Amino acid sequence: AKYGNVGDAFLLSWKICDGSVDGFTNFADEASAEQRAAANDSILCQATNGSTRTPKRQITPSQMADAAITAFIKCQIDLDNENLDGCLTCYATYDAILRRFGPGFKIQMGFGMHVGWAIEGAIGSDLKIDATYLSPHVEMSDRLEASSKIFKAKLNLSHWLVNLATPGIQHHIRPIAKIRCEGVPVPITVFTFDVTNNDRDFGIATAIVEERSKRQQLVDWQTPDFERIRRDLHPRFLSTFRAAYEEFTLGSWHNAKDSLRRSLEMKDRDGPAAYLLSFIEDHSDIPPVDWNGAHFLDNF
């Protein structure tokens, strides 16, 4: 469901059955592999046709998570292509836009994704009614979207959502920060998915059929589609950055700096690498005495 706009942001929600998934509902939940398996064995969500509301198929919570993440990856790719040679190119030539933003303007979006409980209701008038979702988890998705301006990463995923997705996603993503913030009792690990090639064919429905359900396969992280959209990424970038991130969280900041600099050589102007490197330098290369891998992020 879509819930209007809140300033310059829009909220999209994917409802998982009754809205409760053990292990993935509250901030204190572990979100373990065992809990994911139990959820997929016990919960099947009835997907519907958005226009006719007719039943289409039943999917597991992990399949829904995979599909939601893939949908936002496709949104990111399609937006960039429309800026390049599609319906959004006109904005770069408007006099008012040029005066305000200068040449080379592009419409950009950041995406924040999370999983958790929410209160569902309706708000509006006799003329217009919107679905409304209220909870600290809705606020968390908003915070993650806003963090795209901090980390300079377009897609930001919470570790709860990543752990709900099928394990194949781990091959493609990277952790970029482990943070603490007000209102959340545990550290949040933020992940991102790098897209370096805006393949116009990404996300086109496949003819692959699942053996169990006899239905069209939703998402398979092993398909070439996900490799094609990272085609221009240096082959050692992800492993180098992951090593840098681990060194950073362990407090081995001198080694982390070297790895982060190598990461920036492989991917110029990488936002997460620049953010971690700046954080280390702001602390004179010395971790705080009580360092446990997570840091408090102001204004998150």
Side-chain angles (χ1 to χ4, degrees), residues 102-169:
F105 172 79
K106 295 193 303 181
I107 293 178
Q108 300 185 66
M109 293 181 68
F111 302 89
M113 303 190 72
H114 177 60
V115 61
W117 66 266
I119 298 172
E120 181 182 45
I123 189 171
S125 67
D126 292 340
L127 300 178
K128 182 177 181 290
I129 296 177
D130 283 323
T132 304
Y133 299 88
L134 302 173
S135 88
H137 299 281
V138 172
E139 182 184 1
M140 175 55 66
S141 65
D142 184 45
R143 289 176 167 186
L144 287 165
E145 182 276 322
S147 72
S148 64
K149 301 178 182 68
I150 299 172
F151 303 128
K152 309 300 182 185
K154 292 183 179 180
L155 180 63
N156 296 287
L157 315 171
S158 75
H159 69 266
W160 292 279
L161 179 64
V162 166
N163 290 349
L164 180 60
T166 53
I169 193 176

Side-chain angles (χ1 to χ4, degrees), residues 58-195:
Q58 289 183 320
I59 61 176
T60 65
S62 288
Q63 287 177 312
M64 183 174 286
D66 288 352
I69 295 168
T70 303
F72 271 2
I73 293 172
K74 181 167 174 57
C75 286
Q76 176 185 331
I77 291 171
D78 289 351
L79 178 66
D80 285 346
N81 284 328
E82 291 300 318
N83 273 309
L84 179 65
D85 55 14
C87 65
L88 300 180
T89 55
C90 59
Y91 288 95
T93 62
Y94 287 168
D95 289 340
I97 294 292
L98 290 172
R99 287 194 300 270
R100 175 67 176 82
F101 298 104
F105 172 79
K106 295 193 303 181
I107 293 178
Q108 300 185 66
M109 293 181 68
F111 302 89
M113 303 190 72
H114 177 60
V115 61
W117 66 266
I119 298 172
E120 181 182 45
I123 189 171
S125 67
D126 292 340
L127 300 178
K128 182 177 181 290
I129 296 177
D130 283 323
T132 304
Y133 299 88
L134 302 173
S135 88
H137 299 281
V138 172
E139 182 184 1
M140 175 55 66
S141 65
D142 184 45
R143 289 176 167 186
L144 287 165
E145 182 276 322
S147 72
S148 64
K149 301 178 182 68
I150 299 172
F151 303 128
K152 309 300 182 185
K154 292 183 179 180
L155 180 63
N156 296 287
L157 315 171
S158 75
H159 69 266
W160 292 279
L161 179 64
V162 166
N163 290 349
L164 180 60
T166 53
I169 193 176
Q170 297 290 340
H171 175 68
H172 303 286
I173 60 175
R174 54 174 169 140
I176 58 175
K178 187 175 183 181
I179 58 177
R180 291 186 175 275
C181 64
E182 292 182 0
V184 182
V186 296
I188 308 151
T189 302
V190 182
F191 291 81
T192 195
F193 188 114
D194 294 281
V195 175

Side-chain angles (χ1 to χ4, degrees), residues 224-240:
D225 285 20
F226 293 100
E227 295 297 336
R228 283 201 303 271
I229 62 176
R230 295 190 305 147
R231 185 181 61 202
D232 300 328
L233 194 64
H234 192 287
R236 292 195 301 276
F237 172 76
L238 285 180
S239 60
T240 301

